[in-house]
Amino acid sequence: MATASVTFKSREDHRKQLELEEARKAGLAPAEVDEDGNEINPHIPQYMSSAPWYLNAEKPSLKHQRKWKSDPNYTKSWYDRGAKLFQANKYRKGACENCGAMTHDKKSCMERPRNVGAKWTNVNIAPDEKVESFELDYDGKRDRWNGYDPSTYTRVIADYEAREEARKKYLKEQQLKKLEEKDTEKDDENAGSEDDEEDGLRIDEAKVDESAQMDFAKVEKRVRTTGGGSTGTVRNLRIREDTAKYLLNLDVNSAYYDPKTRSMREDPLPDADPNDKFYVGDNQNRLSGQALEFKQLNIHAWEAFEKGQDIHMQAAPSQAELLYKSFKVKKEMLKSEHKDKIMEKYGNAASEDAIPRELLLGQSEREIEYDRTGRIIKGQDVSLPKSKYEEDVFINNHTSVWGSWWKDHQWGYKCCKQTIKNSYCTGLAGIEAAEASADLMKANMARKEAAEDEPVQHEEKRLATWGTDVPQDLVLNEKKLQESLKKETARRKEEKDERKRKYNVKFNDEVTAEDMEAYRMKRIHHDDPMKDFLN
């Protein structure tokens, strides 16, 4: 039950409320209605139906479970595909050098690269594309059909309906034509009973209902059997004496056999003699026979559809096959005409004298001079076509491009063997310095490993009593030493009797050499046999 707010209820009211909820769940009482007049499901748990206290809900409702805040920035519109904004008459500064549009640069241009760009010709300036940016919500980003116009599918439906009507009309005409031919023929006196039975069978096939002839391939022909006529298909079963394809090679890692489709695409015995094998895998059927012709037929249908022909291999296979046959005939005719024109203009070299030796060896009058390494010194080399992207651009004095060298899973420059892309080329000197640095690092690592194996010998230092090295010229003052001894004795007595310790203790952190010497002399050595006689 969707309660508006939590209020105090007596035990009797609480009992009645529970009975009402049970009656609503059982269907004996009408369901609770929210402020909009909609019924609330009584089986919704209370933690979902009860509104938070800060909403101050006076009436039962489920609005707190819905998204009642909408972001005004979200939109459900989509890109205007192929829309153009403005087409200039001359090139503008900052536009694409290839087509002349302002919405992209030369590298991002999707048009065919021109021999001379629009920047220099000022001809055929392409219009600017409409560039849009939307902020979609969670559902809009994941909507597969966002931006799809459903009205465009009506054209596909009308096309298929027209084809279906034409096909039905053609089938009906063929059936009527066959029946008329059978009626006009005279009975042959010498015809046997078997021929009459075949003629009757053909007439029965021609009288099949229209609903059964929705497709040429789906019409089931009658099959003669000993038990009488029946319809169906005959499976192409293998000979039972032949070895099954999955038993030719029992190795687990051999060709995979799919039991569902009974297919084995790869050759189970690739190392065996081809003359002794009668099965080389199902892929062989795709590369021989009519499979190649069917593949070429599909390719022709795709290319014709892209060029505007109304052809579809699956919707009208007969039409596609007829068009492909006519295409091959026209292609052969054009080839023969082209061949005749060339022979008429230039003659037939095969029927004339032998070709000169200069033409056979590919010699020409163009002079090209090479050096010992094969590089061209004088003459024009064959120019290689380049793409619209940057090629052979050398930066920072490098003589090779980035990625021409590879070592230790890192790309680099071949000229200086550096793995930093924006580094400056150092040439052979940099290579030698890098090798020397590597050798030095190896030597240091070897020396460090050798030093770790040897035990470290520490020198014994003579330390002063106050924690530092004892200077060589240390001289103690006898008078100050006697005073320090007295102070140390008094301090030890004070430690033994805490009642003599005063409240205000003055602390002095200045320690002299005499004080440290007095402390050392008064200190008790536990291994001293005379320690009990010390003060």
Side-chain angles (χ1 to χ4, degrees):
M1 185 185 73
T3 55
S5 60
V6 180
T7 56
F8 177 75
K9 295 180 181 179
S10 63
R11 181 178 298 178
E12 186 67 21
D13 295 340
H14 184 66
R15 185 182 61 79
K16 291 181 180 180
Q17 183 68 27
L18 292 178
E19 291 178 356
L20 180 60
E21 291 179 1
E22 293 295 333
R24 285 173 176 171
K25 291 179 180 179
L28 302 178
E32 192 175 9
V33 181
D34 60 1
E35 56 185 4
D36 296 333
N38 301 323
E39 294 184 353
I40 299 176
N41 191 346
H43 297 282
I44 296 178
Q46 186 179 5
Y47 72 91
M48 294 176 60
S49 60
S50 58
W53 59 270
Y54 50 82
L55 293 180
N56 296 326
E58 297 179 355
K59 295 182 180 180
S61 176
L62 292 176
K63 283 188 175 181
H64 59 279
Q65 293 288 349
R66 302 185 184 94
K67 185 179 179 182
W68 50 279
K69 285 186 178 181
S70 60
D71 195 340
N73 296 327
Y74 289 150
T75 179
K76 291 190 176 181
S77 57
W78 197 245
Y79 302 98
D80 194 358
R81 300 180 185 272
K84 307 294 183 181
L85 294 178
F86 174 72
Q87 185 173 6
N89 296 325
K90 61 180 182 178
Y91 181 79
R92 295 160 292 178
K93 185 177 180 181
C96 176
E97 297 179 1
N98 184 42
C99 65
M102 287 291 293
T103 51
H104 60 268
D105 54 358
K106 182 179 179 182
K107 192 171 184 180
S108 304
C109 185
M110 300 300 293
E111 288 195 5
R112 177 183 59 83
R114 304 181 185 180
N115 295 330
V116 182
K119 181 179 180 181
W120 295 274
T121 59
N122 278 332
V123 178
N124 296 330
I125 303 295
D128 300 340
E129 296 91 351
K130 185 178 181 181
V131 180
E132 298 176 285
S133 61
F134 301 118
E135 186 175 359
L136 303 175
D137 55 357
Y138 183 86
D139 296 331
K141 292 177 182 178
R142 291 156 180 81
D143 189 3
R144 294 177 57 212
W145 298 97
N146 195 358
Y148 176 74
D149 188 7
S151 60
T152 58
Y153 196 73
T154 56
R155 181 176 61 86
V156 180
I157 296 174
D159 190 6
Y160 277 91
E161 288 179 352
R163 292 181 185 178
E164 189 68 20
E165 291 294 332
R167 190 174 62 82
K168 290 181 179 180
K169 184 178 179 181
Y170 175 76
L171 290 176
K172 194 67 176 177
E173 291 177 356
Q174 292 294 326
Q175 290 178 359
L176 295 175
K177 185 176 179 181
K178 287 182 180 181
L179 293 175
E180 290 175 358
E181 290 178 357
K182 290 295 179 181
D183 293 338
T184 55
E185 288 181 356
K186 295 181 179 179
D187 297 333
D188 191 359
E189 297 179 356
N190 299 326
S193 60
E194 186 176 355
D195 295 335
D196 295 337
E197 187 178 354
E198 289 180 0
D199 294 338
L201 179 61
R202 292 172 185 173
I203 294 173
D204 292 340
E205 290 176 357
K207 292 181 179 179
V208 180
D209 189 17
E210 279 189 13
S211 60
Q213 293 196 4
M214 294 300 290
D215 197 352
F216 288 109
K218 292 184 180 179
V219 177
E220 295 183 348
K221 302 299 181 181
R222 294 185 180 272
V223 180
R224 292 186 181 275
T225 60
T226 57
S230 62
T231 59
T233 57
V234 179
R235 296 185 62 88
N236 191 4
L237 300 176
R238 64 178 178 86
I239 303 175
R240 306 306 299 177
E241 289 79 8
D242 292 343
T243 306
K245 62 179 74 174
Y246 54 86
L247 296 177
L248 294 175
N249 191 351
L250 298 180
D251 188 6
V252 180
N253 298 323
S254 63
Y256 174 73
Y257 174 75
D258 187 8
K260 185 174 182 180
T261 58
R262 299 181 182 179
S263 61
M264 182 182 287
R265 295 180 175 85
E266 299 179 1
D267 188 1
L269 299 171
D271 300 331
D273 187 8
N275 298 325
D276 299 335
K277 293 189 297 185
F278 67 92
Y279 180 74
V280 292
D282 295 339
N283 285 337
Q284 185 67 21
N285 299 330
R286 301 182 179 181
L287 304 177
S288 62
Q290 296 181 350
L292 292 177
E293 298 179 1
F294 184 74
K295 183 178 179 181
Q296 294 175 358
L297 176 59
N298 279 321
I299 294 174
H300 173 262
W302 297 337
E303 292 177 353
F305 182 79
E306 290 178 356
K307 293 179 180 179
Q309 293 287 339
D310 193 6
I311 179 174
H312 196 278
M313 186 61 196
Q314 282 72 32
S318 302
Q319 180 188 8
E321 188 174 359
L322 289 174
L323 288 176
Y324 180 60
K325 289 182 179 179
S326 62
F327 168 76
K328 288 195 296 184
V329 172
K330 291 180 181 179
K331 185 178 180 181
E332 292 295 332
M333 292 176 60
L334 289 175
K335 286 177 65 176
S336 61
E337 290 178 4
H338 187 61
K339 182 179 179 180
D340 295 336
K341 288 181 181 179
I342 292 176
M343 292 175 62
E344 182 181 356
K345 186 174 183 180
Y346 299 102
N348 189 0
S351 61
E352 297 179 356
D353 299 335
I355 301 175
R357 187 177 181 184
E358 292 79 11
L359 295 179
L360 288 174
L361 299 177
Q363 297 178 358
S364 63
E365 297 297 332
R366 186 176 58 184
E367 181 181 358
I368 300 176
E369 185 177 352
Y370 299 89
D371 61 358
R372 292 182 179 180
T373 59
R375 292 176 295 183
I376 296 177
I377 300 176
K378 183 179 179 182
Q380 184 180 4
D381 191 10
V382 179
S383 60
L384 298 175
K386 291 188 176 182
S387 64
K388 62 180 180 180
Y389 301 99
E390 297 178 351
E391 295 183 6
D392 299 334
V393 178
F394 307 118
I395 60 173
N396 296 337
N397 202 27
H398 289 284
T399 57
S400 60
V401 296
W402 170 258
S404 58
W405 187 65
W406 168 268
K407 185 179 180 182
D408 297 336
H409 304 282
Q410 287 184 340
W411 293 104
Y413 295 97
K414 186 178 180 181
C415 54
C416 58
K417 296 184 179 179
Q418 295 194 50
T419 57
I420 302 175
K421 188 173 183 180
N422 294 328
S423 62
Y424 193 80
C425 184
T426 55
L428 295 176
I431 298 175
E432 294 175 357
E435 292 177 353
S437 176
D439 296 340
L440 181 60
M441 183 177 65
K442 291 179 181 179
N444 291 336
M445 292 174 63
R447 186 170 61 254
K448 185 177 180 181
E449 291 177 357
E452 289 178 354
D453 296 339
E454 298 179 359
V456 181
Q457 297 180 358
H458 298 284
E459 297 181 358
E460 295 183 359
K461 295 182 179 180
R462 183 185 176 190
L463 300 177
T465 53
W466 57 90
T468 58
D469 295 340
V470 178
Q472 298 294 334
D473 55 349
L474 178 63
V475 178
L476 297 177
N477 192 348
E478 295 294 336
K479 185 177 180 180
K480 292 183 178 179
L481 181 59
Q482 294 297 329
E483 293 177 358
S484 298
L485 288 172
K486 292 180 181 180
K487 290 180 181 179
E488 184 66 19
T489 303
R491 187 182 66 80
R492 289 179 177 272
K493 289 181 179 180
E494 186 178 350
E495 286 182 356
K496 291 180 181 180
D497 192 1
E498 295 182 354
R499 291 177 296 179
K500 294 182 179 180
R501 183 179 298 174
K502 300 179 180 180
Y503 290 103
N504 298 327
V505 180
K506 293 183 179 180
F507 179 75
N508 188 9
D509 57 349
E510 295 180 0
V511 180
T512 61
E514 289 78 6
D515 295 340
M516 291 301 300
E517 185 67 19
Y519 172 75
R520 185 184 61 79
M521 294 172 65
K522 291 289 185 179
R523 187 176 57 183
I524 297 176
H525 297 276
H526 295 280
D527 55 350
D528 189 0
M530 301 296 292
K531 62 181 180 179
D532 296 333
F533 298 96
L534 296 176
N535 293 330

